[in-house]
């Protein structure tokens, strides 16, 4: 066997390692894997010997990952996820399909650019199965790093290295408020007028960059926001506005499909900006569904270049 294919460990060693890294408990990991605990311990010891690094710190009370163990966990997860999906993808190709494309998206993407892009892609590659997963930016970034999605429509403030992006949307936000709100008769609003109005936002952990831009806009307006609720996804925020709980922020493109009980008003003066990009790993196969999807994005008339 060529030297580059010679390894001192096997796939089962990595699977056993992942389960121990997930549970941080040898007995529970052994039960989940259906093996005896001594056998599992031997497999982990063999992997550590093969790699020349300790992967776990063991004591009578707890098991912890070493720095090398944490690095190995992060690196093998995308491989194992891809291997797990491989049989279904090959069966799809055998049955006449052309593979699967896994796409993450936010509500802003679905309300604006994503439907047109999907229509163009399906026109070009009708046999590719598209798996759509609505999730906030932080979740999509983690899924991209783990290889759980092929690309994501997300907000670009905190992307790690190793990914490429294409800008799709950049708009100032306005205010969504109940149609019977005292400020509803105004054609435009300023944040200063909303100093005492409760706001419905989203948890900062989902999109820290946009959340901080919101706070910066309030600071520039000279007021402190009164945040009544933090919810996700966007539909829940609109529902709370309909219920009279507060008002929320939204960009004009997303506000075109609002229910009649609420209205959108542009903001003048300080206002946060929504930014939407398509992100994907720098390394991709030339003939993959992702490669063809990116070509469809490029040719979609409404997608900015």
């Amino acid at each position: 066997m060529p030297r580059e294919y010679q390894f001192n460990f096997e796939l089962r060693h990595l699977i056993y390692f992942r389960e121990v890294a997930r549970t941080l408990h040898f007995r529970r990991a052994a039960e989940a894997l259906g093996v005896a605990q001594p056998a599992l311990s031997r497999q982990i010891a063999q992997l550590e010997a093969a790699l020349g690094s300790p992967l776990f710190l063991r004591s009578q009370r707890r098991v912890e990952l070493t720095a090398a163990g944490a690095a190995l966990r992060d690196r093998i997860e995308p491989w194992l996820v891809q291997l797990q999906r491989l049989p279904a993808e090959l069966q799809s190709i055998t049955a006449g399909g052309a593979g699967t494309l896994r796409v993450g998206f936010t509500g802003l993407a679905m309300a604006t650019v994503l439907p047109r892009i999907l229509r163009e892609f399906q026109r070009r590659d009708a046999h590719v199965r598209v798996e759509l997963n609505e999730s906030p930016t932080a979740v999509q970034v983690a899924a991209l790093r783990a290889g759980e999605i092929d690309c994501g429509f997300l907000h670009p403030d905190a992307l790690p290295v190793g990914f490429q992006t294409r800008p799709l949307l950049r708009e100032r936000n306005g205010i969504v408020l109940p149609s019977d709100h005292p400020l509803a008769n105004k054609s435009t609003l300023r944040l200063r007028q909303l100093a005492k109005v409760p706001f419905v936002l989203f948890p900062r952990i989902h999109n820290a960059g946009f959340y901080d831009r919101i706070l910066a806009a309030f600071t520039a307006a000279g007021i402190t926001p009164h945040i009544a609720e933090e919810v996700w996804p966007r539909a829940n925020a609109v529902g709370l506005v309909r219920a009279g709980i507060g008002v929320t922020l939204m960009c004009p493109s997303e506000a075109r499909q609002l229910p009649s009980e609420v209205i959108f008003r542009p903001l003048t003066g300080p206002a946060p900006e929504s930014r939407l990009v398509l992100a994907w790993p720098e390394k991709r196969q030339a003939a993959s569904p992702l490669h063809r999807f990116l070509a469809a994005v490029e040719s979609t008339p409404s997608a900015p270049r």
Side-chain angles (χ1 to χ4, degrees), residues 191-209:
L191 283 179
R192 184 178 292 275
Q193 296 173 274
L194 303 164
K196 298 182 180 180
V197 176
F199 270 78
V200 179
L201 298 182
F202 54 90
R204 183 180 183 277
I205 192 174
H206 289 341
N207 187 357

Side-chain angles (χ1 to χ4, degrees), residues 17 20-21 24 44 48 51-58 63-75:
F17 163 79
V20 179
L24 293 177
I44 296 300
E48 290 177 321
L51 296 176
S53 297
L55 303 175
F56 296 99
L57 297 173
R58 305 164 177 85
V63 174
E64 296 179 274
L65 284 164
T66 64
L72 178 62
R73 176 200 58 196
D74 294 342
R75 284 163 172 74

Side-chain angles (χ1 to χ4, degrees), residues 12-287:
R12 73 172 184 277
H13 290 102
L14 299 180
I15 294 172
Y16 289 178
F17 163 79
R18 180 174 66 170
E19 191 61 29
V20 179
R22 185 184 70 84
T23 62
L24 293 177
H25 198 286
F26 275 79
R27 178 179 58 79
R28 286 200 290 267
E31 291 173 353
L33 293 165
V35 299
Q37 184 175 336
L40 174 61
S41 297
R42 286 195 299 272
Q43 298 292 322
I44 296 300
Q46 290 173 8
L47 181 60
E48 290 177 321
L51 296 176
S53 297
L55 303 175
F56 296 99
L57 297 173
R58 305 164 177 85
S59 68
Q60 292 183 345
R61 291 189 173 185
R62 61 192 304 178
V63 174
E64 296 179 274
L65 284 164
T66 64
L72 178 62
R73 176 200 58 196
D74 294 342
R75 284 163 172 74
I76 68 169
E77 189 62 27
W79 309 340
L80 296 178
V81 169
Q82 293 291 342
L83 286 174
Q84 185 180 25
R85 296 178 182 271
L86 187 59
E89 293 180 358
L90 293 179
Q91 290 168 17
S92 173
I93 293 172
T94 301
T100 301
L101 180 73
R102 298 157 299 159
V103 179
F105 68 94
T106 62
L108 175 60
M110 187 58 76
T112 56
V113 301
L114 183 53
R116 290 187 292 271
I117 291 172
L118 289 174
R119 179 184 291 274
E120 174 64 19
F121 181 60
Q122 289 296 294
R123 185 187 68 80
R124 293 164 167 248
D125 283 274
H127 297 296
V128 173
R129 185 165 65 93
V130 179
E131 294 181 0
L132 294 170
N133 179 20
E134 184 177 8
S135 51
T137 291
V139 175
Q140 288 192 54
V141 170
L144 282 167
R145 295 182 68 177
E148 295 171 354
I149 59 175
D150 299 303
C151 61
F153 289 79
L154 47 81
H155 308 285
D157 301 274
L159 274 174
V161 297
F163 295 91
Q164 292 182 318
T165 61
R166 186 185 190 282
L168 297 172
L169 184 72
R170 189 166 183 167
E171 288 185 354
R172 283 168 51 92
N173 276 237
I175 299 294
V176 176
L177 64 164
S179 56
D180 59 356
H181 194 279
L183 293 173
N185 61 347
K186 305 288 186 180
S187 59
T188 62
L189 294 171
R190 300 181 71 89
L191 283 179
R192 184 178 292 275
Q193 296 173 274
L194 303 164
K196 298 182 180 180
V197 176
F199 270 78
V200 179
L201 298 182
F202 54 90
R204 183 180 183 277
I205 192 174
H206 289 341
N207 187 357
F210 183 38
Y211 195 99
D212 292 344
R213 287 200 299 277
I214 292 173
L215 297 185
F218 276 97
T219 299
I223 62 173
T224 300
H226 173 203
I227 302 173
E229 296 285 347
E230 292 186 342
V231 297
W232 195 90
R234 172 70 76 187
N236 293 335
V238 174
L240 292 182
V241 174
R242 294 172 66 186
I245 303 300
V247 303
T248 194
L249 291 155
M250 187 174 286
C251 66
S253 295
E254 191 177 7
R256 293 170 183 166
Q257 303 175 27
L258 290 173
S260 59
E261 298 97 324
V262 300
I263 58 172
F264 173 83
R265 292 292 180 261
L267 279 171
T268 58
E273 183 181 68
S274 287
R275 301 166 187 169
L276 180 70
V277 302
L278 174 62
W280 67 92
E282 287 181 350
K283 297 180 180 179
R284 67 181 191 273
Q285 296 179 353

